[in-house]
Amino acid sequence: MPSKQKILIVDDDENIAELISLYLIKECYETKIVHDGESALQAFPAFLPDLILLDLMLPGIDGYQVCRELRKDTSVPIIMLSAKGEVFDKVLGLELGADDYIIKPFDSKELVARVKAVLRRTVTSAPAVLDSQQGQYVEYPDLVVNLTNYSVVCMGRSVEMPPKELELLYFLASSPNQVFTREQLLDHIWGYEYAGDTRTVDVHIKRLREKLEEHPAWQLSTVWGIGYKFEVRR
């Protein structure tokens, strides 16, 4: 029997944390609750969650700093929870490495659906170096993006990235030199039900460019006033 996927819930509101835990346990997830940022950083290596639900307004170390610290060593999916609904707060969370951002108060069904969606895109057992001859992948000089095991190898090294970043890179690289608008990319990667801002795409492109070294054969190009493309130089 497969083991349950584990979710770390980080929220200083005990009632909300317990309620979230009940929703997820009902869906057969294993949960652990902590109420502050320091406890979250301590619990992570022991619990090794498959996903983290992270409130932003925490005592001591806030959610932004927790996310920043975790991203130094792991690409575990992080969904931020916050009463702050401004675009600035969402973009900041995504720039720090969050995979999704849910505004409080939220519907329990939406929360569970987003958790499932993020986990579906995550393969925790992906090897550090992939076998590019197996699975669904695209390959260019010094770059292999494998959607089957969610792995990226660039310039001979494994590159860690959250699921949404990898899916965006794979989607663009699967259609070289084709231009996609931000709205099209939101629809394909985040789904039509995603209520996010198109700047979400800009944030993920920026992070991809930071992780991938410049290459003479290909690059992620901006098409001003339209969107982005994976440009392949002939």
Side-chain angles (χ1 to χ4, degrees), residues 109-121:
K109 292 181 180 178
E110 179 189 5
L111 175 68
V112 171
R114 293 210 187 190
V115 166
K116 289 182 177 179
V118 171
L119 285 172
R120 275 198 304 270
R121 299 181 179 103

Side-chain angles (χ1 to χ4, degrees), residues 1-20:
M1 182 177 180
S3 59
K4 294 181 179 180
Q5 289 179 297
K6 297 187 290 186
I7 299 177
L8 179 63
I9 302 167
V10 189
D11 199 310
D12 64 335
D13 188 316
E14 295 184 14
N15 292 328
I16 290 179
E18 290 291 345
L19 194 59
I20 293 173

Side-chain angles (χ1 to χ4, degrees), residues 134-196:
Q134 297 181 356
Q136 190 176 2
Y137 69 96
V138 290
E139 185 170 1
Y140 293 95
D142 298 315
L143 177 69
V144 181
V145 185
N146 191 311
L147 194 63
T148 301
N149 59 19
Y150 275 74
S151 297
V152 176
V153 170
C154 180
M155 306 293 285
R157 63 183 179 85
S158 179
V159 181
E160 293 289 333
M161 59 180 63
K164 285 291 196 301
E165 287 181 26
L166 189 146
E167 289 170 20
L168 179 59
L169 176 61
Y170 178 85
F171 180 77
L172 289 168
S174 296
S175 301
N177 297 320
Q178 181 174 341
V179 180
F180 294 95
T181 67
R182 291 168 175 82
E183 289 78 10
Q184 287 174 319
L185 294 172
L186 272 178
D187 182 49
H188 281 284
I189 307 303
W190 283 265
Y192 69 89
E193 78 283 355
Y194 183 72

Side-chain angles (χ1 to χ4, degrees), residues 24-36:
L24 296 173
I25 289 173
K26 185 178 179 181
E27 296 293 328
C28 296
Y29 294 109
E30 180 182 347
T31 66
K32 181 178 180 62
I33 298 172
V34 295
H35 299 297
D36 60 77

Side-chain angles (χ1 to χ4, degrees), residues 216-230:
W218 49 263
Q219 70 173 7
L220 285 169
S221 298
T222 300
V223 182
W224 297 108
I226 302 176
Y228 298 99
K229 67 177 179 179
F230 186 87

